[in-house]
Amino acid sequence: MTDELNEPLGLNEPLEPRPARPRGRLMKSVVAALLLCGAGGAALLLSLRDPQAGQPVAVARIEMVEPPPPTPANAPMERASVTDADNRADEIADIEKRSGVKVTRIGGAEAPGALIIRLDEQHTALAPAPDKRLVEKGRGGPLPKIGADGAKPMEVYARPATISARLPAGAPRVALVVGGVGLNAQLTASAIDELPGAVTLALAPYGADPESVAAKARDRGHEILLQAPMEPYDYPRENPGPHTLLTTRGAELEDLHWLMSRFSGYIGVVNYLGAQFTADETALTPTLTDIAGRGLLFLDDGTSPRSLVSSLAPRLALTAARADVAIDAGASGEALEKALTQIEALARRNGQAIVAAGALPQTMTRLTRFARELERKGIALVPLSALMSRVEDKEARAGKWK
């Protein structure tokens, strides 16, 4: 068969002989290979003689340096260094604290990260508390006292009164006392941060950490009072709280001293409720005597017309005053506006006015605006201590708005 399956391609074709390679060309190739091998061997021999193997060489001079002397075992250790960012943040925080300017960073960022800040108010720094001169050991904790040098807590811990240069000499003055601080975290923060520093805050003796609340309030420039619960007429149906000062225990001071030991730095005491207690001379006298003997002042919140504080204070050498206006806790919006208008009128007529109010949601916003508007109206906002130079008599006028 002659098809492609039986005769694969190329098998039926005769093989052609390969041309012979010339001998001369082969010899040339062998000679070239030998020459290359010789060159490589020569290079190898040279490299063995050169320790740098033909690489570039640089010469450097080495100088011996004496090591530093060892640190003595008793030498003080140096502080560990911190990053530049930490140094900058600490520096900015220190500047802000010393400046007396509250800086609010949008979004709650820490210094120096935030680009948007709000400068709220320049506040006055208060004397540190507690002052060791003004403290004595009590059964329930530290108690205030008059120092051996005659220093009194109501003077040392007070906020200095600073009157704006934009106000005329002899401008009317208003002292605003806001009580109930320390019982509700949100309202407490609002009172401390939003109210001007010249507003005096009355702190309740209860709460998880009243000492911390007192420190924060004073750090923001607020002078503070101890708000002492006292027996109302309908006690115990209306119970102000633990360690309430009762007429049945008037001569005993254990409850008063427990209340006094809850925190430090206050300039005096203000009653919380207490219509029954402040009307009982037998119970009230030893309490006011102890307060006066510790260099503290007393503010009657003006809620009870039967209070004997104003009549007893001169006999006991007690620095005391009575609020001219007491804004009731349940005051409606209309009643609150009426009270604020009356405050301005009293201040202009008498040269000063003292206001007592509570840190309640429905009043805080309006009180804050009222306090910040006083200067524009020609009235100076001052701390309570600035209006305590004279003792109010029992004829002092007080208003209660419902």
Side-chain angles (χ1 to χ4, degrees):
M1 298 179 66
T2 61
D3 57 18
E4 293 180 358
L5 292 176
N6 292 285
E7 294 180 9
L9 294 174
L11 292 181
N12 59 346
E13 297 178 357
L15 294 174
E16 296 181 359
R18 290 185 178 179
R21 180 177 293 180
R23 290 181 175 269
R25 185 179 299 179
L26 178 62
M27 292 301 295
K28 291 180 179 179
S29 299
V30 173
V31 172
L34 291 173
L35 291 174
L36 288 174
C37 290
L44 177 62
L45 290 174
L46 291 174
S47 65
L48 291 175
R49 294 181 180 179
D50 183 6
Q52 301 298 330
Q55 296 295 322
V57 177
V59 178
R61 185 175 59 184
I62 300 176
E63 297 181 356
M64 299 300 294
V65 179
E66 291 293 329
T71 304
N74 60 349
M77 296 185 65
E78 295 184 0
R79 279 189 173 183
S81 61
V82 295
T83 64
D84 291 341
D86 290 337
N87 282 332
R88 187 180 177 198
D90 292 342
E91 182 181 353
I92 291 175
D94 182 62
I95 291 173
E96 291 174 1
K97 183 176 181 179
R98 289 187 287 105
S99 70
V101 177
K102 178 189 173 186
V103 177
T104 302
R105 289 181 165 76
I106 306 305
E110 297 294 334
L115 298 179
I116 303 176
I117 63 176
R118 186 178 75 236
L119 303 182
D120 292 327
E121 178 195 4
Q122 185 172 358
H123 64 269
T124 302
L126 306 185
D131 186 319
K132 63 181 181 180
R133 299 173 300 164
L134 311 178
V135 177
E136 71 178 18
K137 185 178 180 180
R139 179 179 300 178
L143 297 173
K145 71 169 187 176
I146 298 176
D149 58 354
K152 297 181 179 181
M154 67 176 180
E155 298 168 349
V156 174
Y157 297 143
R159 173 191 169 103
T162 54
I163 309 299
S164 171
R166 293 185 291 269
L167 292 175
R173 302 183 178 190
V174 166
L176 175 58
V177 179
V178 175
V181 177
L183 297 177
N184 177 283
Q186 183 176 357
L187 288 176
T188 295
S190 178
I192 292 175
D193 293 333
E194 301 302 328
L195 288 169
V199 174
T200 301
L201 301 181
L203 277 58
Y206 313 121
D209 191 2
E211 183 70 50
S212 176
V213 174
K216 290 178 182 177
R218 300 187 78 254
D219 186 60
R220 293 296 302 136
H222 300 281
E223 67 179 18
I224 59 176
L225 296 170
L226 166 64
Q227 193 169 28
M230 299 181 181
E231 181 183 351
Y233 279 119
D234 53 356
Y235 182 87
R237 186 176 66 85
E238 185 175 18
N239 191 340
H243 298 276
T244 292
L245 304 185
L246 303 174
T247 54
T248 55
R249 292 166 53 87
E252 302 175 19
L253 300 175
E254 287 84 357
D255 288 323
L256 175 63
H257 291 171
W258 185 91
L259 297 170
M260 285 181 168
S261 67
R262 293 308 90 197
F263 56 90
S264 60
Y266 52 91
I267 63 170
V269 179
V270 59
N271 61 292
Y272 172 62
L273 300 179
Q276 175 71 36
F277 189 84
T278 58
D280 189 312
E281 183 174 353
T282 302
L284 184 61
T285 298
T287 296
L288 297 183
T289 300
D290 189 75
I291 291 172
R294 296 184 179 279
L296 301 170
L297 59 82
F298 188 89
L299 174 67
D300 185 331
D301 71 357
T303 56
S304 174
R306 299 182 61 184
S307 173
L308 300 176
V309 172
S310 297
S311 60
L312 292 175
R315 302 195 333 236
L316 303 176
L318 172 68
T319 300
R322 179 180 173 88
D324 298 291
V325 176
I327 299 177
D328 190 80
S332 64
E334 182 180 355
L336 178 59
E337 294 301 327
K338 184 178 180 181
L340 298 179
T341 300
Q342 181 69 9
I343 292 167
E344 293 182 34
L346 287 172
R348 296 184 192 282
R349 185 178 69 199
N350 301 331
Q352 67 176 52
I354 299 174
V355 187
L360 299 175
Q362 61 268 30
T363 59
M364 280 297 301
T365 301
R366 185 63 186 94
L367 286 177
T368 300
R369 190 167 74 251
F370 168 78
R372 296 189 180 279
E373 289 175 345
L374 284 175
E375 182 178 318
R376 180 177 58 82
K377 298 178 179 180
I379 300 175
L381 177 67
V382 298
L384 174 67
S385 57
L387 300 187
M388 298 296 290
S389 58
R390 63 188 181 90
V391 176
E392 299 285 347
D393 59 31
K394 62 182 180 180
E395 300 298 330
R397 179 175 180 176
K400 183 176 180 181
W401 308 93
K402 299 181 180 179

